Amino acid sequence: MIAWRDAGPGDGVALAALFARCFTDTFGHLYAAKDLAMFLAGQGEDGWVQQLADPAYAVRLGEVDGAAVAFAKLGPPALPVRRRGQAAELRQLYVLADHHGSGAGQTLMDWAIAAARARGASELFLSVYVDNHRARRFYARQGFEEVGTYAFMVGTQRDEDILLRMGLRPQTA
């Protein structure tokens, strides 16, 4: 059973390692070793600690027996999208393959939507790799709509990501 909690600066090492493992397991075969290493170097512990200490970011962490297995990171919008109002960006949502189908992705998405609303966002954005069909189907089921494309760099390799948007209605009591 996955135990959920908000992550803090002390979780930087675990999140950097979890991100590197998830990204490599899912996409590592697409890249030359030097490009993958360059990309992962930019996603290291120091960056995680800085973001975890920054109130503009929020990270939800899932653990099994104290080991990190899933996370989602919400932050200020940085994607090249046309915003209609106050927005948030789901920067990352990763679940170790052993926990796919466990409901972890849905739990993290529910958290991200609630956290974005709590921050006053009226829309939520994210990007997803064009050939990540599993994730694209998941986001479509959530109600995200395609609003463009984006060049996502992994080292020197340029990939095409799809930009997605979800309008967030205020929660009713």
Side-chain angles (χ1 to χ4, degrees):
M1 174 154 244
I2 299 176
W4 298 101
R5 65 179 178 83
D6 293 334
D11 296 308
V13 171
L15 283 162
L18 177 58
F19 172 77
R21 181 174 169 194
C22 287
F23 190 88
T24 301
D25 287 354
T26 305
F27 304 112
H29 66 284
L30 299 172
Y31 305 108
K34 67 178 179 140
D35 285 326
L36 182 60
M38 186 185 313
F39 174 74
L40 293 175
Q43 306 292 322
E45 176 187 348
D46 290 343
W48 277 100
V49 170
Q50 287 177 351
Q51 289 180 353
L52 290 164
D54 185 340
Y57 292 86
V59 177
R60 191 73 172 162
L61 176 61
E63 298 172 313
V64 173
D65 298 326
V69 299
F71 76 93
K73 178 170 57 174
L74 191 69
L79 292 169
V81 294
R82 186 170 154 242
R83 296 184 289 249
R84 300 175 188 162
Q86 189 166 338
E89 183 178 317
L90 180 56
R91 298 283 181 98
Q92 295 160 335
L93 190 157
Y94 283 94
V95 177
L96 286 177
D98 292 351
H99 297 279
H100 286 179
S102 70
Q106 188 63 58
T107 297
L108 288 168
M109 181 56 71
D110 292 344
W111 168 84
I113 292 168
R117 280 187 180 125
R119 291 168 174 251
S122 60
E123 53 190 348
L124 180 61
F125 291 93
L126 61 85
S127 70
V128 62
Y129 178 54
V130 69
D131 287 328
N132 189 344
H133 301 290
R134 179 185 178 102
R136 290 179 63 187
R137 286 189 305 271
F138 174 75
Y139 295 133
R141 285 192 308 269
Q142 306 304 310
F144 280 89
E145 61 187 3
E146 187 174 332
V147 294
T149 59
Y150 172 68
F152 184 84
M153 298 301 296
V154 176
T156 61
Q157 183 171 324
R158 179 182 182 206
D159 287 333
E160 183 178 3
D161 271 18
I162 296 171
L163 298 170
L164 300 175
R165 177 194 177 275
M166 171 192 275
L168 300 175
R169 294 186 184 101
Q171 275 187 307
T172 55

